Amino acid sequence: MDTPKKPVPIVNPWARPFWDAAREERLVTQRCKDCDKFIFYPRIACPHCFSDNLEWVEVSGKGTIYSFTVVENNAPSAFIKEMPYVVAIIKLEEGVQMLSNVVECDLDELHCDMPVEITFEKLTDEFTLPKFRPV
Amino acid sequence: MSELKGKVAIVGIGEVPTGRFPETAAIYHAIESAKQAIRDAGIDKDEIDFCMPTASLFSPQFNTELVTCRVVEELGLKKCKKNCQVFSGGSSSSCGLQMAGSLITSGVARTVLFVHSDRLGTGVTAQGGIDLFSTAGISAEWEVPFGQHYSSIAALSTTRYKYETGCTDEQLASVCVSNRKWAEKNPNAFFRKPLTIEEVMASKMLSTPLRAKMSNMLFDGGSAFVLTSAERARDLPNKPVYILGESGVVSHFVFSQELDVSRFGWAKAAKEAFEEADLTPQDMDVAEIYDSYPVYQMIGFEELGFCERGEAGEIFMRGETWPGRRIPCTTDGGMLSKGHIGAGGAVSLMVEAARQLMGKAGERQVKDARFAVETATGGTYMDAQVTILGTEIP
C-alpha cells in the first residue's frame, strides 16, 4: 500500500497567525487582554470571560509532559513509517495544553511531568509543526 | 434535576448479535433489533409515534437512509409522526434516552423507538477502521497532524492514570478478563472464549502501555429500545424500567484540551444522577460502565463511587466484578468482549441494563436486580453521561 502523505493542519482562518509564526519557528498563543489568561487553541472569543479583546503573544516554549504514549503498532496509514513515535500532551508554562510529538529523546526515559522545550519540524513549505524535546 | 424521574420507562428491548456479517444488509441490524424491541414491548407497531435512529458511521449513504425514514417504512410504522436522528457519538444511548423521555413527558410523543445499527466490522477494512478513527472526532488542525488516533488517546489516559494511581498493566488486563467472564455467557457477544491476564499481557503492544487485547475491536451490530410513559408501561408485559436519575458533563472536543484525562467529569455527573434517583452506588445491583478501553472502565468505576481512586485495579484483579460476585460490571461483555459497534457500544449497555432489570438476561442474570447505573461517553471521551435505571421508584 502506498503511504498517504502526512496530513497537514486544516486551518481555521482565525488561527492563521499561529501557523504563520510556526513557519518562522516562533510559538505564539492568544492572550485575553481583559482577563489576562493565555488561550490555546485560537478562539474567536475568550473561552474564560467571553471577551473579543484578544492579542497574540510569543510564549516560552517551555513546559512539561502531562501524558505521553509511544505508538508502536496500528498507527494511522500516514504515520506507519514513523513508528515508533511519541504522542504527548504538553502543558506549557503559561498554563495551556497542546498535543504534539516528543522528538530527540530516549523512549525509555520519558515520564509524566518531564520538562520539555519547543523545537520545530518543517512538514511542507506552508506548515511547520511545533514539537518538543527533553530539556 | 429533571422531570423525568419515574415518569418514563423502557418497556421493550431488541438486539442482534455482534460480529462480521458481510452477507446481510446494514439495515438488517436496525430493523431486526427494532422489530424485536417492539414485539418485546408487547405493543402494536402502530403505537410507535416517534422513531429515533441514532447515527451509523460506516457509510454516509446508509446514515442518510436512517435519517430519511427507512426504518419507519421497512417496519410499516403507519402512525409514526416524526423520524429524527439523535446522535452524540458513544453517548447517544444516554442522550437519546433523555431526549425520548423529554418528548414523552412533554406530550410531543407517546411511544418512542430508539434504534442503533452499524457495520464497522465488514463495512470498512481493518486499516480503514484505524484511519476512520484517526480523524472522526479528532481535531484536523490540532491533533490529526501529530498522528493522534483512538489507541493513542486511550494510551494517554492510561499513562497518566498509572502515574497518578500506581495501577499496573496486570490490573488493566484484569478488566478485560472480567468483561470476558460476562461475554462467555452472552450469545450476542463476539469474543466468548475464556481469557487470561497472561494472554492479554502477551498480545501485541499498540500504543504504550496499551496492548491489542486491551483494545476494543470494531464489528457489525445493532440494538434498540422502546420508551413510553410510566402510566402506559404498567399495562405492558415487561417489568417497566424507569429512568430514575441522569446527568452529564461535557468537557472537551479536542482531547488535549481536557485538563484531567484520568478523571473527566464522571464524579459530578454521577453525584447529580444518584441524588436525583435518591440512591447511592451501594444500592446498584448492576454497573454497566462504558469500557472502550480498560482504563475508562476503571475511571468510571472509581469516579461513580464504587470505590476510592486507585482501588479499582485490585477490585477487578480479585474478580469482584465477575458473574455471581459483589459488583456485576459491564455484564454484556462490553466493547472489549462483546465488540465495539460504533455509537451502539453504549446503546448495548443501556439495553443490557434494561435486560438485567427486566430479569431477561438468561445465564448471566443478576439475581433480583432492581437498580442499575449506565454510563456513556462520546467522541474522544468528550462527555460523561450517567443514567440510573430501576424497576422501583425510590
Side-chain angles (χ1 to χ4, degrees):
Chain A
M1 189 172 75
D2 291 339
T3 307
K5 278 200 178 131
K6 294 274 253 338
V8 298
I10 310 295
V11 177
N12 292 305
W14 57 91
R16 180 55 66 187
F18 175 88
W19 296 108
D20 289 345
R23 199 167 50 239
E24 297 165 4
E25 304 205 342
R26 291 184 302 116
L27 186 66
V28 299
T29 71
Q30 290 170 310
R31 185 169 60 189
C32 177
K33 287 172 154 175
D34 287 333
C35 74
D36 291 333
K37 290 206 169 90
F38 287 86
I39 300 164
F40 185 82
Y41 52 92
R43 302 289 166 67
I44 58 167
C46 175
H48 307 291
C49 74
F50 224 42
S51 163
D52 287 335
N53 199 9
L54 309 180
E55 62 179 346
W56 286 95
V57 290
E58 192 157 343
V59 292
S60 66
K62 294 190 189 311
T64 53
I65 296 176
Y66 170 54
S67 194
F68 70 96
T69 178
V70 183
V71 180
E72 296 185 2
N73 280 292
N74 292 24
S77 295
F79 292 87
I80 288 173
K81 282 189 179 160
E82 305 295 315
M83 293 188 294
Y85 64 93
V86 180
V87 175
I89 301 172
I90 308 300
K91 205 179 270 287
L92 293 179
E93 275 182 358
E94 289 80 6
V96 295
Q97 292 181 182
M98 62 196 303
L99 195 79
S100 186
N101 303 124
V102 179
V103 296
E104 301 170 40
C105 63
D106 181 341
L107 296 179
D108 296 330
E109 298 291 312
L110 290 170
H111 58 86
C112 290
D113 298 341
M114 182 178 190
V116 288
E117 64 182 13
I118 190 80
T119 178
F120 289 92
E121 277 187 15
K122 187 176 172 181
L123 182 62
T124 63
D125 285 344
E126 191 183 0
F127 288 106
T128 293
L129 298 180
K131 305 230 168 161
F132 290 83
R133 63 184 174 209
V135 174
Chain B
M1 190 160 302
S2 76
E3 305 266 316
L4 293 182
K5 182 179 179 180
K7 301 282 178 56
V8 293
I10 298 174
V11 293
I13 52 173
E15 184 177 72
V16 294
T18 292
R20 296 192 183 97
F21 308 104
E23 71 288 353
T24 194
I27 194 69
Y28 170 80
H29 305 298
I31 57 181
E32 175 61 27
S33 301
K35 184 185 80 179
Q36 286 179 20
I38 293 167
R39 288 191 182 154
D40 183 52
I43 58 170
D44 187 290
K45 70 175 171 59
D46 292 335
E47 278 191 54
I48 304 291
D49 59 356
F50 200 116
C51 180
M52 190 180 279
T54 193
S56 167
L57 295 170
F58 94 95
S59 146
Q61 166 74 23
F62 177 66
N63 193 50
T64 304
E65 292 181 7
L66 295 171
V67 169
T68 51
C69 302
R70 184 166 176 186
V71 171
V72 174
E73 183 170 281
E74 292 275 359
L75 295 176
L77 307 178
K78 307 285 188 204
K79 301 274 178 64
C80 193
K81 295 196 293 188
K82 287 179 171 61
N83 179 91
C84 181
Q85 189 156 76
V86 170
F87 185 50
S88 58
S91 64
S92 300
S93 59
S94 316
C95 295
L97 184 77
Q98 279 124 39
M99 296 282 279
S102 305
L103 293 170
I104 292 165
T105 51
S106 68
V108 171
R110 292 169 66 88
T111 304
V112 180
L113 168 67
F114 183 89
V115 57
H116 168 265
S117 59
D118 215 326
R119 200 181 201 182
L120 293 164
T122 58
V124 292
T125 62
Q127 186 65 39
I130 295 172
D131 290 344
L132 171 65
F133 284 98
S134 65
T135 51
I138 299 180
S139 168
E141 184 162 16
W142 306 110
E143 295 205 343
V144 168
F146 299 98
Q148 181 79 302
H149 56 294
Y150 278 78
S151 292
S152 57
I153 286 167
L156 289 167
S157 282
T158 309
T159 300
R160 188 72 200 184
Y161 178 79
K162 286 180 64 178
Y163 179 72
E164 291 192 13
T165 65
C167 168
T168 67
D169 292 339
E170 286 75 12
Q171 288 175 344
L172 290 163
S174 74
V175 175
C176 308
V177 171
S178 174
N179 292 9
R180 184 62 59 87
K181 294 277 180 193
W182 290 101
E184 286 174 34
K185 298 174 184 295
N186 181 0
N188 283 346
F190 185 82
F191 295 106
R192 301 190 62 198
K193 282 192 209 150
L195 180 71
T196 64
I197 287 174
E198 293 70 29
E199 285 170 315
V200 177
M201 295 303 295
S203 64
K204 181 171 76 172
M205 187 63 84
L206 302 183
S207 289
T208 60
L210 201 68
R211 294 177 181 276
K213 285 191 195 300
M214 293 175 186
S215 178
N216 66 80
M217 279 179 68
L218 295 168
F219 294 102
D220 307 343
S223 52
F225 58 80
V226 172
L227 195 77
T228 192
S229 66
E231 212 169 33
R232 173 75 181 117
R234 288 191 265 272
D235 295 333
L236 297 174
N238 284 327
K239 240 188 266 180
V241 174
Y242 302 106
I243 300 183
L244 300 180
E246 58 84 21
S247 195
V249 172
V250 173
S251 52
H252 62 268
F253 160 56
V254 181
F255 183 74
S256 48
Q257 296 307 305
E258 169 62 51
L259 296 175
D260 196 337
V261 299
S262 73
R263 281 194 183 84
F264 305 94
W266 295 111
K268 179 173 186 287
K271 182 172 181 288
E272 291 170 1
F274 281 121
E275 275 177 11
E276 181 182 9
D278 204 15
L279 293 167
T280 69
Q282 288 64 45
D283 296 315
M284 295 297 108
D285 299 297
V286 186
E288 304 294 0
I289 298 184
Y290 193 95
D291 71 320
S292 51
Y293 296 87
V295 71
Y296 296 116
Q297 195 170 333
M298 295 169 95
I299 292 169
F301 194 84
E302 291 175 353
E303 297 294 307
L304 258 62
F306 286 98
C307 65
E308 295 296 315
R309 169 94 165 162
E311 288 179 358
E314 286 183 18
I315 289 175
F316 280 94
M317 280 294 267
R318 287 197 297 264
E320 291 183 38
T321 54
W322 296 3
R325 304 286 180 86
R326 192 166 65 89
I327 315 169
C329 187
T330 311
T331 61
D332 70 345
M335 277 152 274
L336 289 168
S337 272
K338 178 173 181 280
H340 194 324
I341 51 173
V347 183
S348 293
L349 279 180
M350 186 71 83
V351 165
E352 173 71 5
R355 188 188 282 122
Q356 289 284 356
L357 295 174
M358 289 173 179
K360 296 176 134 183
E363 211 192 323
R364 65 184 188 285
Q365 179 64 46
V366 174
K367 195 165 172 287
D368 301 328
R370 292 183 305 157
F371 300 116
V373 58
E374 184 262 5
T375 69
T377 172
T380 61
Y381 313 94
M382 66 185 189
D383 60 347
Q385 303 295 338
V386 178
T387 306
I388 317 289
L389 301 167
T391 53
E392 297 166 21
I393 304 166

